[in-house]
Amino acid sequence: MPGGRSLEVEERDGVLSLTLNRPDKLNALNRELFSQLMEALDRAAGGARAVLITGSGRAFCVGQDLAEVDPRGRSEPPDLGRTLTETYNPLVRRIRALPLPVVCAVQGVAAGAGANLAFACDLVLAARSARFLQAFDRIGLVPDSGGTFTLPRTVGWARAMGWVLTGEALSAERAEAWGLIWKAVEDDHLLGEAETWAAQLAEGPTRAYAATKQAMAAAAAQSLDRQLDLERDLQDALGRSPDYAEGVAAFMEKRKPRFTGGH
Ligand code: LHQ
Protein backbone atom coordinates (compact mmCIF):
# COMPACT_ATOMS: atom_id res chain seq x y z
CA MET A 1 0.00 0.00 0.00
CA PRO A 2 1.11 3.57 -0.48
CA GLY A 3 2.26 5.21 2.69
CA GLY A 4 4.50 8.06 3.58
CA ARG A 5 4.77 11.14 5.59
CA SER A 6 1.70 13.09 4.50
CA LEU A 7 -0.87 10.31 4.47
CA GLU A 8 -0.98 7.32 6.78
CA VAL A 9 -2.56 4.34 5.08
CA GLU A 10 -3.68 1.20 6.84
CA GLU A 11 -5.89 -1.62 5.64
CA ARG A 12 -7.48 -3.97 8.14
CA ASP A 13 -10.49 -6.29 7.90
CA GLY A 14 -11.72 -4.64 4.72
CA VAL A 15 -11.40 -1.07 6.02
CA LEU A 16 -8.92 1.22 4.33
CA SER A 17 -8.02 3.94 6.84
CA LEU A 18 -6.50 7.14 5.52
CA THR A 19 -5.14 9.65 8.01
CA LEU A 20 -4.15 13.10 6.76
CA ASN A 21 -0.83 13.54 8.47
CA ARG A 22 0.58 17.07 8.28
CA PRO A 23 -0.45 18.12 11.80
CA ASP A 24 2.02 21.03 11.97
CA LYS A 25 0.17 22.57 8.97
CA LEU A 26 -3.26 21.49 10.24
CA ASN A 27 -3.31 18.89 7.44
CA ALA A 28 -3.35 21.51 4.67
CA LEU A 29 -3.59 19.83 1.29
CA ASN A 30 -0.43 20.04 -0.80
CA ARG A 31 0.53 18.21 -3.99
CA GLU A 32 2.21 15.37 -2.12
CA LEU A 33 -0.81 14.74 0.07
CA PHE A 34 -3.10 14.86 -2.95
CA SER A 35 -1.13 12.34 -4.92
CA GLN A 36 -0.99 9.98 -1.94
CA LEU A 37 -4.73 10.37 -1.36
CA MET A 38 -5.56 9.70 -5.01
CA GLU A 39 -3.25 6.71 -5.15
CA ALA A 40 -4.77 5.24 -1.98
CA LEU A 41 -8.34 5.79 -3.22
CA ASP A 42 -7.48 4.29 -6.60
CA ARG A 43 -6.33 1.15 -4.86
CA ALA A 44 -9.26 1.08 -2.44
CA ALA A 45 -11.68 -0.35 -4.97
CA GLY A 46 -9.27 -3.26 -5.44
CA GLY A 47 -9.90 -4.97 -2.11
CA ALA A 48 -11.27 -2.77 0.64
CA ARG A 49 -15.00 -2.69 1.42
CA ALA A 50 -15.10 0.64 3.27
CA VAL A 51 -12.87 3.69 3.60
CA LEU A 52 -12.29 5.81 6.69
CA ILE A 53 -10.78 9.28 6.32
CA THR A 54 -9.57 11.27 9.30
CA GLY A 55 -6.84 13.71 10.25
CA SER A 56 -4.06 13.69 12.81
CA GLY A 57 -3.50 16.42 15.36
CA ARG A 58 -5.75 19.33 16.25
CA ALA A 59 -7.41 19.80 12.84
CA PHE A 60 -9.10 17.59 10.30
CA CYS A 61 -7.95 19.66 7.32
CA VAL A 62 -7.66 23.37 6.57
CA GLY A 63 -8.01 23.06 2.79
CA GLN A 64 -5.42 24.15 0.29
CA ASP A 65 -1.85 24.61 1.51
CA LEU A 66 -1.72 28.32 0.78
CA ALA A 67 2.09 28.32 0.69
CA GLU A 68 1.84 26.37 -2.57
CA VAL A 69 -0.42 28.92 -4.24
CA ASP A 70 1.00 32.11 -2.75
CA PRO A 71 0.83 34.80 -5.45
CA ARG A 72 3.61 36.85 -3.85
CA GLY A 73 6.93 37.00 -5.66
CA ARG A 74 5.70 35.34 -8.86
CA SER A 75 5.84 36.81 -12.32
CA GLU A 76 2.48 35.15 -13.16
CA PRO A 77 -0.47 34.62 -10.81
CA PRO A 78 -0.92 30.99 -9.69
CA ASP A 79 -3.13 28.93 -12.02
CA LEU A 80 -5.91 27.96 -9.61
CA GLY A 81 -8.05 26.57 -12.43
CA ARG A 82 -5.32 24.08 -13.15
CA THR A 83 -5.04 23.27 -9.43
CA LEU A 84 -8.74 22.40 -9.34
CA THR A 85 -8.56 20.42 -12.57
CA GLU A 86 -5.60 18.39 -11.41
CA THR A 87 -6.34 17.91 -7.72
CA TYR A 88 -9.60 18.91 -6.01
CA ASN A 89 -12.02 18.05 -8.79
CA PRO A 90 -10.62 14.56 -9.38
CA LEU A 91 -10.53 13.95 -5.62
CA VAL A 92 -14.19 14.89 -5.07
CA ARG A 93 -15.24 12.91 -8.14
CA ARG A 94 -13.20 9.93 -6.93
CA ILE A 95 -14.83 9.92 -3.50
CA ARG A 96 -18.31 10.28 -4.94
CA ALA A 97 -17.73 7.61 -7.61
CA LEU A 98 -15.95 5.18 -5.31
CA PRO A 99 -18.14 2.06 -5.14
CA LEU A 100 -17.51 1.85 -1.38
CA PRO A 101 -18.92 3.73 1.58
CA VAL A 102 -16.57 6.47 2.75
CA VAL A 103 -16.71 7.34 6.45
CA CYS A 104 -15.17 10.63 7.57
CA ALA A 105 -14.20 11.51 11.15
CA VAL A 106 -13.71 15.25 11.64
CA GLN A 107 -11.81 16.55 14.66
CA GLY A 108 -10.84 20.16 15.28
CA VAL A 109 -11.11 22.53 12.32
CA ALA A 110 -12.31 21.64 8.85
CA ALA A 111 -11.80 24.72 6.69
CA GLY A 112 -12.22 25.59 3.01
CA ALA A 113 -11.78 22.60 0.78
CA GLY A 114 -11.15 20.59 3.98
CA ALA A 115 -14.78 21.14 5.00
CA ASN A 116 -16.16 20.41 1.55
CA LEU A 117 -14.00 17.33 1.28
CA ALA A 118 -15.67 16.03 4.45
CA PHE A 119 -19.11 16.82 3.02
CA ALA A 120 -18.27 14.78 -0.09
CA CYS A 121 -17.97 11.64 2.06
CA ASP A 122 -20.88 9.31 2.74
CA LEU A 123 -21.06 9.05 6.53
CA VAL A 124 -19.58 12.03 8.33
CA LEU A 125 -19.04 12.08 12.09
CA ALA A 126 -17.60 15.08 13.87
CA ALA A 127 -16.29 15.57 17.38
CA ARG A 128 -18.49 17.91 19.42
CA SER A 129 -15.61 20.40 19.59
CA ALA A 130 -15.06 20.35 15.82
CA ARG A 131 -15.91 23.41 13.77
CA PHE A 132 -16.47 23.93 10.09
CA LEU A 133 -15.40 27.04 8.20
CA GLN A 134 -15.90 27.83 4.53
CA ALA A 135 -12.99 30.34 4.69
CA PHE A 136 -12.88 30.92 0.92
CA ASP A 137 -14.22 34.47 1.30
CA ARG A 138 -11.27 35.36 3.53
CA ILE A 139 -8.92 34.90 0.58
CA GLY A 140 -11.21 36.16 -2.16
CA LEU A 141 -12.27 32.81 -3.62
CA VAL A 142 -15.47 30.92 -4.39
CA PRO A 143 -16.33 27.80 -2.36
CA ASP A 144 -14.96 24.86 -4.34
CA SER A 145 -14.65 21.08 -4.00
CA GLY A 146 -18.37 20.85 -4.67
CA GLY A 147 -19.35 23.34 -1.97
CA THR A 148 -21.61 25.41 -4.22
CA PHE A 149 -23.34 22.19 -5.28
CA THR A 150 -23.65 20.48 -1.91
CA LEU A 151 -24.43 23.40 0.39
CA PRO A 152 -27.60 24.88 -1.18
CA ARG A 153 -28.95 21.38 -1.83
CA THR A 154 -28.25 20.22 1.70
CA VAL A 155 -28.97 23.19 3.91
CA GLY A 156 -31.07 25.43 1.62
CA TRP A 157 -30.27 28.74 -0.05
CA ALA A 158 -30.57 31.02 2.98
CA ARG A 159 -28.29 29.01 5.24
CA ALA A 160 -25.81 28.25 2.46
CA MET A 161 -25.49 31.89 1.44
CA GLY A 162 -25.48 33.10 5.04
CA TRP A 163 -22.73 30.68 5.94
CA VAL A 164 -20.42 31.41 3.03
CA LEU A 165 -20.95 35.18 3.11
CA THR A 166 -20.48 35.66 6.86
CA GLY A 167 -17.57 33.27 7.19
CA GLU A 168 -18.99 32.13 10.54
CA ALA A 169 -17.68 28.96 12.12
CA LEU A 170 -20.28 26.20 12.26
CA SER A 171 -20.23 23.94 15.31
CA ALA A 172 -20.53 20.18 14.89
CA GLU A 173 -23.94 20.31 16.52
CA ARG A 174 -25.17 22.94 14.09
CA ALA A 175 -23.69 21.01 11.16
CA GLU A 176 -25.66 18.00 12.37
CA ALA A 177 -28.86 20.04 12.80
CA TRP A 178 -28.44 21.41 9.26
CA GLY A 179 -27.96 17.94 7.81
CA LEU A 180 -24.37 18.51 6.70
CA ILE A 181 -23.05 15.63 8.77
CA TRP A 182 -24.52 12.41 10.09
CA LYS A 183 -23.66 12.89 13.73
CA ALA A 184 -21.79 14.95 16.32
CA VAL A 185 -20.22 12.67 18.92
CA GLU A 186 -18.29 13.12 22.15
CA ASP A 187 -14.68 14.02 21.37
CA ASP A 188 -13.28 10.92 23.06
CA HIS A 189 -15.61 8.66 21.09
CA LEU A 190 -15.01 10.09 17.62
CA LEU A 191 -12.43 7.69 16.26
CA GLY A 192 -13.84 4.63 18.00
CA GLU A 193 -17.32 5.30 16.69
CA ALA A 194 -16.08 6.05 13.17
CA GLU A 195 -14.06 2.82 13.19
CA THR A 196 -17.07 0.86 14.38
CA TRP A 197 -19.21 2.23 11.54
CA ALA A 198 -16.48 1.60 8.98
CA ALA A 199 -16.08 -1.99 10.24
CA GLN A 200 -19.85 -2.52 10.08
CA LEU A 201 -20.02 -1.13 6.54
CA ALA A 202 -17.09 -3.34 5.50
CA GLU A 203 -19.19 -6.35 6.50
CA GLY A 204 -22.23 -5.07 4.64
CA PRO A 205 -23.62 -5.68 1.13
CA THR A 206 -20.90 -3.78 -0.75
CA ARG A 207 -22.59 -3.91 -4.15
CA ALA A 208 -25.82 -2.58 -2.68
CA TYR A 209 -23.92 0.32 -1.09
CA ALA A 210 -22.28 1.10 -4.45
CA ALA A 211 -25.68 1.10 -6.16
CA THR A 212 -27.11 3.28 -3.39
CA LYS A 213 -24.34 5.84 -3.88
CA GLN A 214 -24.90 5.77 -7.63
CA ALA A 215 -28.66 6.27 -7.32
CA MET A 216 -28.38 9.01 -4.69
CA ALA A 217 -25.84 10.91 -6.82
CA ALA A 218 -27.92 10.56 -9.99
CA ALA A 219 -31.01 11.92 -8.24
CA ALA A 220 -29.52 15.42 -8.07
CA ALA A 221 -29.70 15.71 -11.84
CA GLN A 222 -32.75 13.86 -13.07
CA SER A 223 -36.50 13.50 -12.95
CA LEU A 224 -38.45 11.10 -10.75
CA ASP A 225 -39.33 9.10 -13.86
CA ARG A 226 -35.70 8.52 -14.79
CA GLN A 227 -34.79 7.89 -11.17
CA LEU A 228 -37.47 5.20 -10.90
CA ASP A 229 -36.01 3.55 -14.00
CA LEU A 230 -32.53 3.69 -12.51
CA GLU A 231 -33.73 2.16 -9.22
CA ARG A 232 -35.39 -0.61 -11.23
CA ASP A 233 -32.18 -1.35 -13.17
CA LEU A 234 -30.01 -1.34 -10.05
CA GLN A 235 -32.49 -3.52 -8.16
CA ASP A 236 -32.64 -5.89 -11.11
CA ALA A 237 -28.86 -6.40 -10.92
CA LEU A 238 -28.79 -6.61 -7.12
CA GLY A 239 -31.59 -9.18 -7.10
CA ARG A 240 -29.14 -11.54 -8.83
CA SER A 241 -26.32 -10.92 -6.34
CA PRO A 242 -25.08 -13.36 -3.68
CA ASP A 243 -25.63 -10.72 -0.99
CA TYR A 244 -29.33 -10.52 -1.79
CA ALA A 245 -29.62 -14.32 -1.58
CA GLU A 246 -27.70 -14.30 1.68
CA GLY A 247 -29.68 -11.38 3.12
CA VAL A 248 -33.04 -12.98 2.49
CA ALA A 249 -31.82 -16.40 3.63
CA ALA A 250 -30.48 -14.90 6.87
CA PHE A 251 -33.80 -13.15 7.48
CA MET A 252 -35.77 -16.34 6.89
CA GLU A 253 -33.41 -18.36 9.07
CA LYS A 254 -33.41 -15.68 11.79
CA ARG A 255 -29.63 -15.25 11.78
CA LYS A 256 -27.10 -12.52 11.03
CA PRO A 257 -26.19 -12.28 7.32
CA ARG A 258 -22.65 -12.94 6.12
CA PHE A 259 -22.26 -10.58 3.18
CA THR A 260 -19.31 -10.99 0.81
CA GLY A 261 -19.86 -8.05 -1.50
CA GLY A 262 -19.30 -10.46 -4.39
CA HIS A 263 -20.81 -10.58 -7.87
C1 LHQ B 1 -1.68 26.58 6.93
C2 LHQ B 1 -2.99 26.65 6.46
C3 LHQ B 1 -3.19 26.60 5.08
C4 LHQ B 1 -0.91 26.44 4.80
C5 LHQ B 1 -3.06 26.77 8.62
N1 LHQ B 1 -2.12 26.49 4.29
N2 LHQ B 1 -0.66 26.48 6.10
C6 LHQ B 1 -8.36 25.51 -3.87
C7 LHQ B 1 -7.53 25.73 -4.98
C8 LHQ B 1 -6.48 26.62 -4.99
C9 LHQ B 1 -6.23 27.58 -4.18
C10 LHQ B 1 -6.87 27.95 -3.03
O1 LHQ B 1 -7.80 27.22 -2.39
C11 LHQ B 1 -8.49 26.16 -2.72
C12 LHQ B 1 -9.43 25.68 -1.76
C13 LHQ B 1 -9.26 26.11 -0.33
O2 LHQ B 1 -9.15 25.26 0.51
S1 LHQ B 1 -9.31 27.76 0.03
C14 LHQ B 1 -9.23 27.83 1.78
C15 LHQ B 1 -7.84 27.61 2.30
N3 LHQ B 1 -7.83 27.59 3.74
C16 LHQ B 1 -7.85 28.68 4.50
O3 LHQ B 1 -7.93 29.79 4.04
C17 LHQ B 1 -7.68 28.47 6.00
C18 LHQ B 1 -6.42 29.12 6.48
N4 LHQ B 1 -6.21 28.84 7.89
C19 LHQ B 1 -6.78 29.54 8.88
O4 LHQ B 1 -7.57 30.46 8.65
C20 LHQ B 1 -6.43 29.17 10.28
O5 LHQ B 1 -5.25 28.39 10.25
C21 LHQ B 1 -7.53 28.40 11.01
C22 LHQ B 1 -8.69 29.37 11.35
C23 LHQ B 1 -8.05 27.23 10.18
C24 LHQ B 1 -6.96 27.83 12.34
O6 LHQ B 1 -6.36 28.89 13.05
P1 LHQ B 1 -5.39 28.59 14.28
O7 LHQ B 1 -5.99 27.53 15.13
O8 LHQ B 1 -5.08 29.91 14.90
O9 LHQ B 1 -4.07 27.95 13.63
P2 LHQ B 1 -2.90 28.71 12.83
O10 LHQ B 1 -3.47 29.68 11.88
O11 LHQ B 1 -1.88 29.20 13.80
O12 LHQ B 1 -2.27 27.50 11.97
C25 LHQ B 1 -1.30 26.58 12.50
C26 LHQ B 1 -0.27 26.33 11.42
O13 LHQ B 1 -0.91 25.79 10.26
C27 LHQ B 1 0.40 27.62 10.96
O14 LHQ B 1 1.70 27.29 10.56
P3 LHQ B 1 2.97 27.89 11.36
O15 LHQ B 1 4.16 27.32 10.64
O16 LHQ B 1 2.86 29.38 11.28
O17 LHQ B 1 2.82 27.38 12.76
C28 LHQ B 1 -0.41 28.00 9.75
O18 LHQ B 1 0.30 28.81 8.84
C29 LHQ B 1 -0.67 26.63 9.14
N5 LHQ B 1 -1.82 26.66 8.25
N6 LHQ B 1 -3.87 26.77 7.52
N7 LHQ B 1 -4.48 26.58 4.54
Side-chain angles (χ1 to χ4, degrees), residues 50-54 101-105 121-125 194 197-198 201:
V51 175
L52 170 59
I53 302 180
T54 190
V102 181
V103 179
C104 182
C121 297
D122 302 313
L123 193 80
V124 187
L125 304 174
W197 280 114
L201 291 166

Side-chain angles (χ1 to χ4, degrees), residues 177-193:
W178 283 12
L180 276 167
I181 64 168
W182 169 237
K183 217 172 168 194
V185 302
E186 296 309 323
D187 288 15
D188 292 348
H189 298 172
L190 176 72
L191 203 55
E193 201 164 316

Side-chain angles (χ1 to χ4, degrees), residues 24-26 28 58 62-67 69 80 83-84 88 109 111-114 131 133-136 138-139 141 144:
D24 53 328
K25 296 295 171 195
L26 307 187
R58 70 181 177 92
V62 288
Q64 170 66 32
D65 186 329
L66 295 174
V69 290
L80 302 190
T83 305
L84 292 193
Y88 292 88
V109 193
R131 61 202 163 103
L133 284 171
Q134 279 298 303
F136 299 91
R138 297 182 186 184
I139 54 169
L141 295 180
D144 61 22

Side-chain angles (χ1 to χ4, degrees), residues 60-162:
F60 169 68
C61 174
V62 288
Q64 170 66 32
D65 186 329
L66 295 174
E68 265 189 358
V69 290
D70 185 349
R72 294 174 305 169
R74 294 179 186 233
S75 52
E76 295 281 324
D79 188 342
L80 302 190
R82 188 170 166 197
T83 305
L84 292 193
T85 300
E86 292 180 354
T87 53
Y88 292 88
N89 290 0
L91 179 63
V92 171
R93 288 192 176 110
R94 191 78 192 93
I95 291 172
R96 280 291 163 107
L98 199 68
L100 302 173
V102 181
V103 179
C104 182
V106 177
Q107 88 287 6
V109 193
N116 294 340
L117 173 65
F119 303 146
C121 297
D122 302 313
L123 193 80
V124 187
L125 304 174
R128 258 182 221 293
S129 65
R131 61 202 163 103
F132 296 88
L133 284 171
Q134 279 298 303
F136 299 91
D137 59 314
R138 297 182 186 184
I139 54 169
L141 295 180
V142 65
D144 61 22
S145 306
T148 60
F149 181 90
T150 307
L151 296 177
R153 279 175 175 75
T154 310
V155 306
W157 180 266
R159 284 172 167 169
M161 287 304 284

